[in-house]
Amino acid sequence: MSSPDIILSARKLTKRFSGFTAVNGVDLDVERGTIHALIGPNGAGKTTCFNLLTKFLQPSAGNISFNGRDITGLAPAAIARLGVVRSFQISAVFPRMSVLENVRIALQRRRGDSFDFWRNQKVLNAYDEEARERVEEVGLTEFIGETAGELSYGRKRALEIATTLALEPEMLLLDEPMAGMAQEDVSRISALIRRIAAKRTILMVEHNLSVVADLSDKITVLARGEVLAEGPYEAVSKDPRVIEAYIGAGHG
Amino acid sequence: MSVTANTPSVSAAATMPIGTPRHHIAIFAGLLVLLLIAPFVLYPVFIMKILCFALFASALNLLLGFGGLLSFGHAAFFGSASYVTAHAAKVWGLTPEVAILLGTIAAAFLGLIIGALAIRRQGIYFAMVTLAFAQMVFFFALQAPFTGGEDGIQAVPRGSLFGMISLANDTTLYFVVLAIVFGGLLAIYRIIHSPFGQVLKAIRDNEPRSISLGYKVNRYKLAVFVMSATLAGLAGSTKALVFQLASLTDVYWTMSGEVVLMTLLGGMGTIFGPLVGAAVIVTMQNYFASFGAWVTVLQGTIFVVSVMLFREGIIGVLSRWIRKPL
Ligand SMILES: Nc1ncnc2c1ncn2[C@@H]1O[C@H](COP(=O)(O)OP(=O)(O)OP(=O)(O)O)[C@@H](O)[C@H]1O
Ligand SMILES: [Mg+2]
């Protein structure tokens, strides 16, 4: 057997907030082309891990590498440019822009930087067609001209995914993509995530365990900032330490 | 089938369709016609004052309404440009267009320095940093030998445009000022509706998200800060020629506050709001000048009322009413 092809890995990743250690010596290896879930009780440090991996937070210790390259010292925008794009736990749309514009702002990244303040924005029309397709993919076509801030919570999440996908990142980090979605949207987005995972790698935080069981190839369980267990869903869900961590934190 | 036109969704300056909306062209054209007639009906210096402040407020609005950055120190750019232009015209005897150009460049340069230091801070801290630097510029203006201290630089010659057309006549000057201000406003309009402007709005709406899409937000913020400072400088330079005066009032913090007031009153983040805000405030100052200190009280009251009751400003409310971005 050949050794697994690791796209993103973290070693001894640690984050301390004035004395409190939110993430403590986490080792993480995400294999290329898989859906990897990061789960754990509230406050386990999942979002903090995402913030560290994408450099929205500076690690107190440890390092991160992407495609074999050390990215610990990079700025968050630089990591996005390498092809690691994250979403946020609280919905992150551009509220005063339309649905179409939200997606287009991601497509616009293909021009490189947009410092051309003298040019008419009509040049961006070139991306409209593709933006429409992306919007359709997440089932928002009938809201395409609407202001993103006025969408329902679930639709905002869908729009966020469309925006993230528009960048065609090599790797996606999704922080609770299904939170607050109606069941029919959960199914749609699940199917979409599975479809995009064919060509990409996904690291996902999700509380909906049936979604996790359904989608993920591998699961890492985090509790109190440390890795508690790792493996496929069947194994992890039977692990007594995992069950205890969840019960201890008040999850059924 | 669903009809999106029926859904009451349009918030103020939100769903900007791509391309220049026809009603914007119509408003700009109508405005230009009015302004071409205005000097024959109203006192030209009065309208020139409104024009200068309309440009100043629009420059601030570019930063505040579209970049999401509240500067409380824009008097620094307005005022220093005013001083440089006055000095260049009076002491160096340069022609008005060169004097204005120098003043504007000075403001741009100052904007680069202050902007680079301020954009690393967020929200109210950003505002405080800009205010602090503006105060430094004020004390510099108070102490420096060439600014004339409390007297300012008075009796600045308006000179002759390109050394040929004398601007001593108010009406002649008016058309030059109109060309400058209108050009400035169109430039701002274009900036807002450019690929750059689109990124700017994204950063204003959600900065972390913009970063996560790979935008180097600090560079965009610095760029818009410099543009805003430059245009504020253009307004200040022009004002110096109109009133033939550069004084401490131009760099004082109340000037920074006044331009914020104009922008909020008219409607920040709208295209035409700052123009309306400037017209209202300048008119008020003019007609109520005899009330002395009460003008300040009145201004303060308007400020409080507009912030508490209609946050979207005059044009913001109007825009929501007619459901079109203005
Ligand atoms: N900026 C911060 N400053 C101080 N403490 C923080 C900060 N961010 C997170 N924490 C703390 O770190 C711990 C981990 O938080 P984190 O948001 O990573 O948890 P999570 O696993 O994402 O939880 P949830 O499931 O609720 O989203 C929490 O106790 C939180 O209070
Ligand atoms: Mg979280």
Side-chain angles (χ1 to χ4, degrees), chain A residues 57-68:
Chain A
L57 284 175
Q58 184 65 34
S60 312
N63 44 336
I64 309 156
S65 64
F66 176 66
N67 279 333

Side-chain angles (χ1 to χ4, degrees), chain A residues 81 96 105 121 125 142 145 164, chain B residues 4 15 18 205 209 214-215:
Chain A
R81 284 158 180 245
R96 291 167 70 182
I105 199 77
Q121 65 178 2
N125 286 359
E142 66 176 301
T164 307
Chain B
T4 17
T15 24
I18 278 296
D205 274 17
R209 183 52 168 164
Y215 288 107

Side-chain angles (χ1 to χ4, degrees), chain A residues 30-42:
Chain A
V30 182
E31 204 174 321
R32 188 185 308 281
T34 61
I35 300 182
H36 191 134
L38 192 60
I39 67 168
N42 291 110

Side-chain angles (χ1 to χ4, degrees), chain A residues 182-195:
Chain A
Q183 187 52 46
E184 60 167 282
D185 293 322
V186 170
S187 319
R188 192 210 327 266
I189 300 302
S190 281
L192 179 63
I193 289 178
R194 191 189 322 250
R195 189 143 42 88

